[in-house]
């Protein structure tokens, strides 16, 4: 079965602190994984994808196949990072499977 | 401007009254998709389409229909809405295939549907 879990519904950190948003998946084979973000009053948008191995807005995510994880990290959180974050994968039938989301709140 | 549009943005209706939510994209994308967003459940894919006249069920297709007669349009139809279909609905589109770089989805603004 294809599934994405994000164990934290809400994560609160202080500005300047490191942040890690957890994502675990179940998928047989090599998954295509993504992080999407939804800022207040904005559309859901792609933050990063594992295949391009890029850093966007200071965020990085590493695919760990052994732990079936794709955690999103940033060394120093900023207030503008406050948003809803979704981890997602592409399933066997080219469908998308999203996790339940984690709301990140960066406190001043 | 490249974008995905949805109409209406807000809709209140009664149980059993058929409704259609339209979705249109101007980016010549092959892949289009509908999602519903519910608190604690995240986004769940309802239906998706990889090209004209090709549609597939997502995770929660029951109670919904879609059609893809033209590349740019992908309407979502609720033949007999029920209160458990009260939700926030998103349409999305993307290029398709290749290395995954083409899988970026562009989302519409959302349609908030209330069924009483």
């Amino acid at each position: 079965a294809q599934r994405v879990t994000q164990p934290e519904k809400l994560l609160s950190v202080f500005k300047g602190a490191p942040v890690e948003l957890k994502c675990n998946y179940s998928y047989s084979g090599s998954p295509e994984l993504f992080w999407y973000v939804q800022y207040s009053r904005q559309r859901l948008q792609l933050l990063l994808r594992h295949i391009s191995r890029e850093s966007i807005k200071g965020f990085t995510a590493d695919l760990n196949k052994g732990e079936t994880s794709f955690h999103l990290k940033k060394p120093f959180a900023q207030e503008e990072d406050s948003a809803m974050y979704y981890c997602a994968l592409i399933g066997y039938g080219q469908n998308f499977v999203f996790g339940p989301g984690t709301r990140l709140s960066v406190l001043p | 401007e490249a974008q995905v549009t949805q109409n209406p943005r807000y809709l209140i209706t009664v149980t059993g009254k058929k409704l259609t939510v339209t979705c249109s994209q101007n980016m010549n994308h092959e892949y289009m998709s509908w999602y519903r967003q519910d608190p604690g459940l995240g986004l769940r894919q309802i239906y998706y389409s990889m090209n004209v006249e090709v549609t597939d069920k997502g995770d929660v297709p029951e109670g919904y229909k879609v059609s893809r007669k033209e590349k740019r349009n992908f309407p979502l139809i609720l033949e007999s809405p029920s209160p458990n279909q009260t939700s926030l609905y998103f349409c999305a589109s993307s290029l398709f295939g290749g290395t995954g770089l083409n899988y970026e989805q562009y989302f519409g603004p959302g349609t908030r549907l209330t069924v009483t």
Side-chain angles (χ1 to χ4, degrees):
Chain A
Q2 311 150 98
R3 194 176 175 200
V4 176
T5 57
Q6 296 176 250
E8 302 130 333
K9 285 187 179 179
L10 173 65
L11 183 63
S12 295
V13 301
F14 285 102
K15 178 182 172 182
V19 62
E20 181 179 67
L21 298 163
K22 291 183 168 54
C23 170
N24 289 89
Y25 66 89
S26 60
Y27 185 90
S28 297
S30 297
E32 303 240 21
L33 286 154
F34 306 83
W35 276 98
Y36 278 82
V37 61
Q38 189 172 28
Y39 300 104
S40 180
R41 297 188 186 85
Q42 293 188 29
R43 302 187 184 200
L44 200 67
Q45 58 188 281
L46 179 69
L47 180 62
L48 56 80
R49 52 206 135 191
H50 93 272
I51 198 166
S52 55
R53 303 187 64 79
E54 56 200 346
S55 173
I56 302 293
K57 298 184 179 182
F59 284 98
T60 58
D62 289 317
L63 175 61
N64 185 323
K65 290 186 180 180
E67 296 182 359
T68 61
S69 69
F70 188 56
H71 302 329
L72 183 68
K73 300 177 184 179
K74 185 170 183 177
F76 308 103
Q78 303 299 314
E79 288 183 68
E80 56 264 30
D81 296 328
S82 296
M84 193 75 178
Y85 291 81
Y86 292 97
C87 183
L89 63 76
I90 296 177
Y92 308 119
Q94 307 301 331
N95 58 308
F96 275 84
V97 180
F98 280 77
T102 297
R103 182 167 297 283
L104 174 65
S105 177
V106 181
L107 307 171
Chain B
E1 180 191 355
Q3 62 178 340
V4 178
T5 57
Q6 295 178 228
N7 282 293
R9 295 288 311 281
Y10 302 90
L11 180 59
I12 301 174
T13 190
V14 296
T15 299
K17 186 176 181 182
K18 180 179 178 180
L19 65 92
T20 299
V21 184
T22 64
C23 173
S24 184
Q25 51 93 4
N26 61 2
M27 295 170 279
N28 202 36
H29 285 167
E30 287 98 351
Y31 191 101
M32 296 187 74
S33 180
W34 276 104
Y35 298 88
R36 58 178 292 173
Q37 185 182 45
D38 301 289
L41 297 176
L43 278 86
R44 292 180 292 168
Q45 195 170 37
I46 303 170
Y47 270 96
Y48 60 103
S49 169
M50 290 191 278
N51 215 324
V52 175
E53 303 292 0
V54 179
T55 61
D56 285 287
K57 295 178 180 179
D59 290 330
V60 288
E62 295 79 18
Y64 304 94
K65 284 177 58 177
V66 292
S67 69
R68 188 91 183 274
K69 293 183 170 55
E70 306 166 278
K71 197 172 188 179
R72 62 182 292 127
N73 296 322
F74 190 47
L76 178 69
I77 303 156
L78 284 72
E79 295 267 3
S80 183
S82 63
N84 64 12
Q85 293 178 297
T86 292
S87 187
L88 181 57
Y89 291 86
F90 289 100
C91 181
S93 73
S94 68
L95 289 171
F96 179 73
T99 61
L101 294 176
N102 290 333
Y103 284 129
E104 175 176 359
Q105 291 191 92
Y106 294 82
F107 282 82
T111 295
R112 187 166 292 282
L113 171 66
T114 302
V115 183
T116 62

